[in-house]
Amino acid sequence: MKNQSMEIEFILVGISSLPELRLFLLVSFLCIYVTALVGNSLIFFTICASQQLHTPMYFFLGNLSVLDALCTSTIVPKMLANLYFQRAAISFLGCMAQMYLFTWALVSEALLLALMAFDRYIAICHPLHYPMVMRSRVCIGMAGSIWAIGISNSAVHTSLAIPLSFCHSFVIDHFFCELPPILKLSCSDTHLNEALAFCADVIFGVGSCSLILVSYGCIIRTVLNIRSSEGKKKAFSTCSSHLTVVSFYYSTVIYTYIRPTSNLSLGRDKVITALYSVIIPMLNPIIYSFRNREVKGALQRLLGGTLLFPPGKTLSFSLKTHPF
């Protein structure tokens, strides 16, 4: 049977096939989704509304919040519907759309985290050049390029997955439509799909992680040469939130993706996938809120009603390029 007919449906096994866990999973993921959506929305609107947060670092953080909201909204609503209605089916078009959006968010977030590390590197290691290097037009251009790369990469993988045949089984051993289990299920020749997916994982995953490691290596060397303890503390404080997010994100993503598809144990990896696709997007706004005094202060003022848009004026976003 060819999936070009668009009539087939896939069955999602879910994160657990035990019926007694259905209610627990439904309530848990509903709470996680609401927390992630509210948290990332608050971070985004706080950055937009607070003039003191109109800097490159927080501009990139606003983009990260949008990507986290996109990632969870791609996965969790369908998961909740399947748990509630006890019908774990998804149409072929719905599956392809879910895979496209998730792959887009995944790659874009990896690149954005690397760009945020580069921003901190310039701010700490080359503070005099920071206003020139990270000027407003450059930051907007880099962020736009990341979104475009994510869209293009996702379009390639999705377009190669659409012609695949699914002859023997339509049961996906996962809780959403992700590329590895789709390739594992297909009875077509998937060597090209696997090769391109692996290349993308290495380029975007390992490449981004390498840039982050190099950036933080230079940052640590520069900070250690700072004589005053107050200066060291201030420099490290601007990186702590980002470094925490990076540690959680890359430890799970690299474990899952930087392996040949044939070596994947999908049942074992579902929990790891849930961490970076659902849990981490919920944790990111919490990490940035509690570990960053500027965000915390601006968020408190926003919730207190002191950050209001001027009457008769539209919201504009002008980046101020100061390193700290």
Side-chain angles (χ1 to χ4, degrees):
M1 180 182 295
K2 300 289 186 179
N3 61 6
Q4 286 93 333
S5 65
M6 308 298 177
E7 295 178 356
I8 66 173
E9 281 190 336
F10 293 110
I11 303 299
L12 296 169
V13 172
I15 199 167
S16 174
S17 58
L18 298 176
E20 56 269 24
L21 291 179
R22 186 181 299 275
L23 179 60
F24 171 76
L25 292 174
L26 177 63
V27 174
S28 298
F29 279 101
L30 177 61
C31 293
I32 290 171
Y33 179 58
V34 171
T35 303
L37 209 58
V38 171
N40 284 292
S41 299
L42 279 175
I43 291 291
F44 177 78
F45 287 113
T46 299
I47 292 171
C48 290
S50 177
Q51 288 290 333
Q52 72 182 50
L53 299 183
H54 288 190
T55 65
M57 180 173 70
Y58 296 113
F59 171 69
F60 297 139
L61 177 58
N63 279 264
L64 181 64
S65 297
V66 174
L67 285 172
D68 283 338
L70 172 65
C71 186
T72 54
S73 296
T74 299
I75 297 170
V76 181
K78 181 59 178 176
M79 183 195 304
L80 295 175
N82 289 341
L83 288 170
Y84 182 79
F85 293 108
Q86 300 184 20
R87 183 178 182 272
I90 185 170
S91 67
F92 173 77
L93 289 178
C95 185
M96 292 297 105
Q98 194 176 62
M99 186 177 70
Y100 175 84
L101 292 172
F102 176 75
T103 305
W104 171 16
L106 184 72
V107 169
S108 298
E109 185 158 346
L111 295 174
L112 185 62
L113 289 173
L115 181 57
M116 293 172 75
F118 176 74
D119 170 73
R120 292 299 84 203
Y121 160 73
I122 298 296
I124 294 173
C125 300
H126 304 283
L128 298 179
H129 296 94
Y130 188 85
M132 177 60 65
V133 175
M134 303 302 292
R135 59 188 183 275
S136 176
R137 189 170 298 178
V138 173
C139 292
I140 295 173
M142 289 190 293
S145 298
I146 285 175
W147 284 87
I149 291 172
I151 291 172
S152 302
N153 173 75
S154 183
V156 169
H157 295 301
T158 306
S159 62
L160 288 174
I162 289 175
L164 295 177
S165 300
F166 302 91
C167 311
H168 308 300
S169 174
F170 302 117
V171 179
I172 301 176
D173 189 13
H174 216 314
F175 57 91
F176 71 101
C177 287
E178 195 179 16
L179 185 59
I182 292 292
L183 298 183
K184 193 177 183 69
L185 191 65
S186 174
C187 58
S188 301
D189 182 4
T190 60
H191 285 93
L192 177 60
N193 304 71
E194 292 183 19
L196 290 179
F198 185 74
C199 288
D201 295 340
V202 171
I203 293 171
F204 298 124
V206 177
S208 299
C209 187
S210 299
L211 178 58
I212 290 172
L213 291 175
V214 171
S215 298
Y216 274 105
C218 296
I219 288 172
I220 291 172
R221 184 179 62 184
T222 300
V223 171
L224 291 178
N225 291 329
I226 298 177
R227 293 185 178 181
S228 75
S229 58
E230 184 64 26
K232 291 181 180 179
K233 183 178 179 181
K234 185 177 180 180
F236 274 126
S237 67
T238 65
C239 304
S240 60
S241 298
H242 178 257
L243 194 56
T244 303
V245 170
V246 165
S247 300
F248 282 129
Y249 184 80
Y250 276 96
S251 61
T252 54
V253 170
I254 289 180
Y255 170 80
T256 301
Y257 282 94
I258 309 303
R259 293 176 295 170
T261 305
S262 58
N263 291 340
L264 287 173
S265 173
L266 295 176
R268 181 184 60 189
D269 290 345
K270 280 190 280 189
V271 174
I272 301 296
T273 304
L275 287 176
Y276 69 77
S277 63
V278 180
I279 306 299
I280 290 178
M282 177 196 69
L283 292 178
N284 284 351
I286 297 174
I287 292 171
Y288 277 102
S289 297
F290 283 96
R291 297 181 67 89
N292 190 300
R293 286 181 297 179
E294 288 183 318
V295 174
K296 189 191 300 184
L299 184 59
Q300 289 173 344
R301 291 193 297 274
L302 177 66
L303 295 177
T306 58
L307 285 178
L308 299 176
F309 302 135
K313 294 185 178 181
T314 58
L315 176 63
S316 61
F317 197 91
S318 175
L319 294 181
K320 303 173 185 176
T321 51
H322 57 76
F324 299 106

